[in-house]
């Protein structure tokens, strides 16, 4: 099983290490044809507008939509969650992949509390998950088919629609590999 990590920009190395810890083979994705060799794709945190620009330049925006159509799993973290959203409330013109029916706001947690850490309860996890939020987007609205797996102060922060997963925090920045494992076991192997 090969996990692809989009490596045009952002915190892709940390995801790579996390999946390698779990024994997966990880392929860094920079070109559309590289998507042919992977079973699932992770879009990391970083800067979503830069990432969007680079994806468009390389033709990855179209290729990733085709990848979704082939029923393979995709996981976006933080900027990656913005990239897969269908609407960006505060930057409506920003290009996005529209892989998941949700509206996000890039800056609504504000400068004062731009970064914070909390212990989250995640559905089906027996123990709390220490979550790191770094200039995280807020999920303002989700479609009927989107399932909420974790919330922070009533906002969804981990959501799932079919095989598309989004977390607005950064599981790759801790040593807790449970969400990476969940992604492999529930969304990649179950295909
Ligand atoms: N706020 C950033 C953005 O809009 C995302 C931050 C992150 O990925 N840690 O792209």
């Amino acid at each position: 099983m090969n996990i692809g990590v989009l490596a045009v920009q952002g915190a892709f190395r940390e995801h790579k290490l996390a999946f390698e810890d779990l024994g997966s083979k990880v392929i860094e994705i920079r070109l559309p044809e590289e998507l042919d060799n992977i079973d699932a794709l992770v879009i990391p945190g970083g800067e979503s507008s830069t990432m969007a620009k680079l994806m468009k330049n390389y033709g990855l925006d179209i290729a990733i939509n085709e990848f979704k159509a082939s029923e393979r799993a995709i996981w976006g973290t933080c900027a990656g969650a913005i990239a897969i959203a269908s609407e960006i409330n505060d930057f409506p013109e920003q290009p996005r992949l529209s892989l998941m029916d949700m509206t996000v706001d890039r800056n609504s947690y504000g400068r004062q509390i731009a970064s914070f850490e909390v212990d989250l309860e995640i559905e089906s996890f027996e123990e709390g998950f220490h979550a790191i939020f770094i200039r995280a987007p807020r999920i303002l609205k989700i479609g009927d088919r989107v399932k909420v797996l974790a919330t922070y102060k009533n906002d969804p922060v981990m959501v799932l629609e079919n095989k598309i997963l989004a977390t607005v925090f950064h599981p790759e920045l801790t040593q807790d590999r449970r969400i990476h494992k969940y992604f492999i076991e529930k969304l990649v192997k179950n295909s």
Side-chain angles (χ1 to χ4, degrees):
M1 189 182 50
N2 296 334
I3 306 285
V5 178
L6 189 74
V8 295
Q9 198 266 338
F12 58 89
R13 288 181 193 86
E14 291 80 357
H15 272 298
K16 188 173 183 210
L17 291 174
F19 282 113
E20 285 173 351
D21 264 1
L22 296 171
S24 304
K25 183 167 182 324
V26 178
I27 298 180
E28 292 183 10
I29 304 295
R30 294 185 180 84
L31 297 169
E33 53 269 31
E34 290 164 342
L35 294 167
D36 295 344
N37 307 323
I38 58 172
D39 303 293
L41 177 70
V42 176
I43 306 178
E47 215 290 318
S48 60
S49 55
T50 310
M51 211 183 281
K53 222 173 278 166
L54 293 170
M55 282 195 276
K56 205 174 167 57
N57 288 352
Y58 299 139
L60 280 161
D61 50 348
I62 294 166
I64 293 173
N65 263 282
E66 287 166 3
F67 187 86
K68 179 196 171 185
S70 72
E71 296 279 308
R72 283 173 285 176
I74 301 175
W75 174 16
T77 54
C78 202
I82 299 169
I84 68 178
S86 50
E87 303 288 341
I88 304 172
N89 182 56
D90 49 354
F91 292 85
E93 305 301 324
Q94 179 173 312
R96 56 207 175 270
L97 299 169
S98 288
L99 305 180
M100 185 185 271
D101 186 6
M102 70 170 168
T103 304
V104 299
D105 208 77
R106 284 178 62 188
N107 290 318
S108 81
Y109 284 115
R111 276 186 168 269
Q112 297 300 326
I113 51 156
S115 299
F116 54 96
E117 302 188 13
V118 304
D119 287 322
L120 294 177
E121 273 178 35
I122 297 179
E123 193 186 291
S124 86
F125 284 30
E126 280 180 11
E127 281 169 31
F129 191 96
H130 189 71
I132 302 177
F133 292 75
I134 303 170
R135 296 187 299 111
R138 176 179 262 158
I139 298 176
L140 300 180
K141 214 169 85 189
I142 51 172
D144 294 342
R145 288 183 309 275
V146 181
K147 207 173 146 198
V148 177
L149 301 179
T151 57
Y152 167 66
K153 293 188 175 169
N154 293 325
D155 290 329
V157 291
M158 178 171 174
V159 290
L160 178 68
E161 183 178 4
N162 299 322
K163 287 187 178 180
I164 312 287
L165 177 69
T167 50
V168 303
F169 53 96
H170 288 268
E172 77 285 8
L173 298 184
T174 63
Q175 292 307 307
D176 193 336
R177 303 303 188 211
R178 283 178 294 161
I179 299 181
H180 290 80
K181 200 162 169 207
Y182 170 93
F183 182 69
I184 294 174
E185 300 291 332
K186 298 273 195 270
L187 305 180
V188 188
K189 282 194 184 158
N190 266 347
S191 23

